[in-house]
Each structure stands twice: as C-alpha cells, then as structure tokens.
Amino acid sequence: MSDQLTLDESKPQATPAAVPHVVAWNLTRRCNLACAHCYISAGSWDSAQDELTTEECRRITDEILQLNAAPLFVLSGGEPLLREDLEELARYATRRGATVVVGTNGTRLTAERIESLQRAGVRGVALSIDSLEPTYHDRFRHGAGALQDTLAAVDRLIEHELDFVVQTTVTRGNRHELRRLAAWSADKGAAAFNVYFLVATGRGSGMRGLAPQENEQVLRELVELQREYRGRMLVRSKCQPQIMRHVYEQDPDSPLLNYETRCPCGVQYCRITPEGKLTPCPYLPVVAGDLRRQHFGEVWHGSPVLRALREREPGGKCGRCEYRRICGGCRARAYADTGDILAEDASCAYEPDGARPVVGRQRAVTYGMSAPPTLAWAPEARQRLERIPSFVRGVVTARVEAFARERGHTEITAALMDEVRRSLPVDFSKRAPFFMRRDA
C-alpha cells in the first residue's frame, strides 16, 4: 500500500478526533546492539549522515506543539543515547510543554547519563529485557554482557528515582519466562511490564511469531498477570490488541479498559523516522509524509494513509468481529502479512460468527479523550493539570472530579490531587513517568 491511497469522497466518513497525543521518534539508526527482531534494522554499521539535524528536530517539535500543546514524546532509536544532542532535544521539548521519555536498551545508561537526562526534563525510561537468562537475552540482542549492563542500569534508575518500564518481546524461546519477568519487574518497582508480540518488519521479517493459539494462551496469562499486579504495576500487550477481548470477558474492572478503543496508530499515535518520514507507528513502515519537505500538520491532517486508518473499517474477520471497536486487530501486522493496512490480523485465533452485538467502549472517558472540567479548579491544581500529557488528561480530570464529588468537595486543590493520587491503583494515570506530582 502506498501513500497514494485515495478515499471515496462521495461516501460520508465518520472521522474520529485525530490528535497526535503520542509521538514515537526514532532519532537514529545507530545502535551498539543488533537485536534479532529490530523493526528499524539498527546496528553499529549505520551512520548519522542522513539523520535529522538538531535544528530540524526543533522545527518539527514546534510543528507538533501547534497541534497539541502537551504531547508525549518517546525518544528512541536505534539507541538514542548515541545522539549527542539527546538532552538538548529533550530539554527543548519539555520547556515547551511536551512530556519526554526515552526508549533504550539500557547498556549505556550510566549514572552520569541518568543525571543528565533528568536535568533535561526526561520523565522516564523504557528498557528492553527479554530474559533474565544471559544466554538468551544476549543472543537475542546480539551483545555479549548486554543483560548484565541493562540490569545494572535498572538499579541506577532506582537509585536516582527515575521511573522505568520493562519491555519484553515474547517468542517461543522466552514465553515460559513471562511470569518470572513480571515478578522481577514488579519487585524492582517498574511502572509497567509491556509484552510485545512480533511484527514481521525490519530484521523481524526473518522471524516467525507465535501461532494464533499460542497468542491466545499468552494473552490469557497476561490478563491474569495484570490482575495479580494491579495496584503495583501495569501489565499490557503491545501489537496484540486482542487482549481487549480477553479483558472484556474476564476482568471488567481492568485499567486496560481505560485505553482508547482500537489501535491508536495514525489516530492518536505516530512515528518519525531518523530521516524525517512520518509513519502511523514504528512497526508500520508505510510513509504518510516527509517532514523535511512538509509541515507536520499538513501530513497529520491530509495524508491518505492516516485518513484510511481513521475513516475505514478493517477487512476480513476483523471487520465483522463484534470486538472491532475495542480491538480491531494490529494494522502493522496486517500490512506485514498482506501489504494492506486494512486487512485482517491473522495472528488472532478468534472466529466471529457475526451474530453477536458489537462491543463498544467500556468507560465514559478513556485515554485520548478530552473531559472539560465541570468543577472549580484552584490555580495550582489547574497548572498541574495543564502539565499532564494530553493523552491522559481527560481520564485524570474525570477521576479527580468524581473523587471530589464523592467527598462533597466543590473545588479541586493541589492537596486534593495528592489525595487522589495516593488512592489510585497503579495505572497510566498514576505512575511512569509524570502524573499529578508536585514536580510534574
């Protein structure tokens, strides 16, 4: 599928609110490792020659902020710590209202670098740990001693009180270890344990993911784990939105149901490549536009690729499934398997019969939705709310005001926000890496 995709303008389209709440930014293809599944095929052989310059990154940051004053930037790579201007870019974005986190393999995360990132305003770090067994992790990441270096980085993050998330790509070689990895992550104080399901793109195109029935088994286990660690750590699947079906059926109180329906790629989420191309997500390489030649807003609002993701229904069994509004399948995997971003996601074992009613959003306000305040907010509380990323601001607003009404308050104060935060279980609106703290 190319960026020349056209829409049938004669048919009315129900366009959801499209706001760039979260931007995954691959700053470089350079990396000190060469992970087997890397979607960007990064490695030590890559150079900085065609990377966006510091000035180009600043300009694009300003263009994004014109559309959303409080986005979340995930600065990644390759290995972003290899960009000498990483802190400069983070500082520039945070001073203008963005929240910045960094995705890294962790092997170069020294105490000095952590302190430097904190001074630049970075609010959290996502680390890749695929096994607690060095023989597996180091082989998968193609780096001798990689696990040892990353585990040492976790201890440094704890010492410096910088929030972190653990990311694991599940394969047949480590699926038996997920429960152990979750327990270790929770014991270390991770805000979230994210389990990624392989998408056959980049170097991962040479790998084979789990079979549909195996995916079902892992998703059922993740639903158990997210219930087990509720109040301590959020457990999520990535690139496998089918977990929403399991959560809907098994755990109606799950914080996962706060997530916006369907995959957010191209609707609330996008990726910028090192060369300045905009794609719907890191795992979906279809180019929506070139930010070296086009304004971010022009691409975000006008790209036929992004409009198709927002305005069209998926095909095949994804399109007739009763869970299509809270799942919809992984669009990146559909493209990797068929070349069509709207094809069905064949990694799913579920077979809809078309006879059941469509399952809709389970919460009145979910992540990515706005919720205008209906109570009075004291100036300090309002200032703190405005520093919360747009992606979660609606959920935070709704929760804080509901908490206030239940206790008879008519005004939201900073002290009340602190009380709400203490009362919440661990989910995206309480921890990692930013929300409702006085220093946020």
Side-chain angles (χ1 to χ4, degrees):
M1 185 172 190
S2 73
D3 57 359
Q4 299 303 310
L5 174 72
T6 58
L7 297 176
D8 185 351
E9 302 289 353
S10 66
K11 295 182 179 180
Q13 306 288 343
T15 305
V19 177
H21 290 295
V22 181
V23 178
W25 200 327
N26 296 131
L27 291 173
T28 181
R29 294 183 188 275
R30 291 173 286 152
C31 189
N32 57 310
L33 301 179
C35 304
H37 65 310
C38 180
Y39 63 82
I40 202 170
S41 299
S44 59
W45 52 85
D46 282 296
S47 74
Q49 183 175 358
D50 200 33
E51 293 173 1
L52 292 170
T53 65
T54 304
E55 187 54 42
E56 286 176 316
C57 290
R58 288 182 185 141
R59 173 182 58 79
I60 294 169
T61 294
D62 289 338
E63 292 173 359
I64 295 169
L65 292 171
Q66 289 175 17
L67 300 185
N68 179 9
L72 170 63
F73 285 177
V74 183
L75 303 183
S76 186
E79 176 46 62
L81 298 182
L82 294 175
R83 286 266 320 211
E84 294 180 356
D85 60 353
L86 175 62
E87 283 85 349
E88 183 178 351
L89 296 176
R91 186 178 298 107
Y92 186 87
T94 56
R95 286 180 176 177
R96 282 156 179 77
T99 297
V100 175
V101 298
V102 170
T104 172
N105 60 44
T107 61
R108 305 172 66 91
L109 206 53
T110 63
E112 293 75 18
R113 200 66 193 268
I114 293 172
E115 292 167 2
S116 177
L117 293 171
Q118 288 178 306
R119 288 194 299 271
V122 170
R123 292 291 183 179
V125 172
L127 295 148
S128 300
I129 300 176
D130 297 298
S131 173
L132 296 174
E133 300 294 333
T135 51
Y136 180 90
H137 179 92
D138 292 359
R139 184 175 67 248
F140 191 68
R141 296 276 164 182
H142 290 183
L147 178 63
Q148 179 180 351
D149 291 341
T150 302
L151 296 186
V154 170
D155 291 335
R156 295 187 196 106
L157 290 167
I158 296 169
E159 180 181 351
H160 286 80
E161 299 183 341
L162 184 58
D163 285 330
F164 66 95
V165 168
V166 173
Q167 320 258 51
T168 296
T169 297
V170 61
T171 68
R172 290 183 178 85
N174 69 352
R175 57 176 292 196
H176 66 282
E177 203 179 347
L178 291 181
R179 193 170 293 276
R180 180 188 177 199
L181 281 162
W184 179 87
S185 300
D187 289 345
K188 286 293 186 178
F193 177 55
N194 294 332
V195 177
Y196 282 77
F197 289 70
L198 181 73
V199 176
T201 189
R203 264 200 303 274
S205 60
M207 299 178 64
R208 186 166 60 93
L210 302 181
Q213 287 297 339
E214 292 174 311
N215 287 331
E216 288 286 287
Q217 294 168 8
V218 173
L219 290 174
R220 283 193 288 268
E221 183 175 359
L222 293 181
V223 171
E224 294 173 5
L225 289 172
Q226 61 91 34
R227 185 187 293 116
E228 179 179 347
Y229 290 104
R230 190 165 304 159
R232 294 178 62 193
M233 177 182 74
L234 187 64
V235 177
R236 298 177 289 187
S237 71
K238 294 290 187 174
C239 306
Q240 196 72 24
Q242 289 83 358
I243 195 172
M244 299 301 286
R245 168 169 52 87
H246 292 274
V247 168
Y248 173 82
E249 293 173 347
Q250 302 172 38
D251 189 8
D253 296 325
S254 173
L256 294 182
L257 292 173
N258 283 327
Y259 281 83
E260 176 59 279
T261 57
R262 298 272 288 273
C263 173
C265 74
V267 182
Q268 300 176 346
Y269 179 56
C270 65
R271 181 269 295 260
I272 301 172
T273 72
E275 304 80 23
K277 303 295 193 298
L278 190 148
T279 78
C281 87
Y283 299 90
L284 183 49
V286 179
V287 174
D290 184 348
L291 300 180
R292 276 189 157 141
R293 297 187 297 105
Q294 298 170 276
H295 189 286
F296 183 94
E298 175 191 350
V299 179
W300 181 258
H301 290 304
S303 165
V305 173
L306 302 184
R307 287 187 60 192
L309 290 167
R310 298 165 190 168
E311 300 169 9
R312 291 184 175 182
E313 290 294 333
K317 66 180 181 180
C318 288
R320 62 177 183 272
C321 181
E322 65 268 27
Y323 295 100
R324 61 184 177 270
R325 291 181 184 168
I326 65 171
C327 172
C330 175
R331 299 299 93 217
R333 186 174 295 103
Y335 178 79
D337 291 345
T338 70
D340 181 358
I341 61 174
L342 295 174
E344 69 178 45
D345 180 355
S347 72
C348 180
Y350 184 70
E351 291 293 341
D353 58 18
R356 300 181 184 182
V358 176
V359 175
R361 183 183 294 125
Q362 300 303 297
R363 305 283 162 83
V365 180
T366 59
Y367 295 131
M369 295 177 62
S370 62
T374 58
L375 297 178
W377 286 65
E380 184 182 351
R382 183 172 293 279
Q383 289 174 6
R384 199 184 301 184
L385 179 66
E386 290 174 353
R387 291 196 296 270
I388 293 173
S390 61
F391 186 59
V392 295
R393 190 178 297 168
V395 169
V396 171
T397 301
R399 285 188 173 183
V400 170
E401 293 198 343
F403 184 93
R405 288 192 185 91
E406 289 171 0
R407 287 154 181 79
H409 296 284
T410 58
E411 182 183 48
I412 309 300
T413 64
L416 182 64
M417 292 181 78
D418 290 336
E419 186 180 349
V420 175
R421 184 176 181 273
R422 288 191 297 268
S423 73
L424 288 175
V426 174
D427 66 15
F428 203 53
S429 65
K430 180 181 178 183
R431 289 215 33 212
F434 17 67
F435 308 105
M436 300 209 306
R437 297 198 297 247
R438 289 189 181 275
D439 62 342

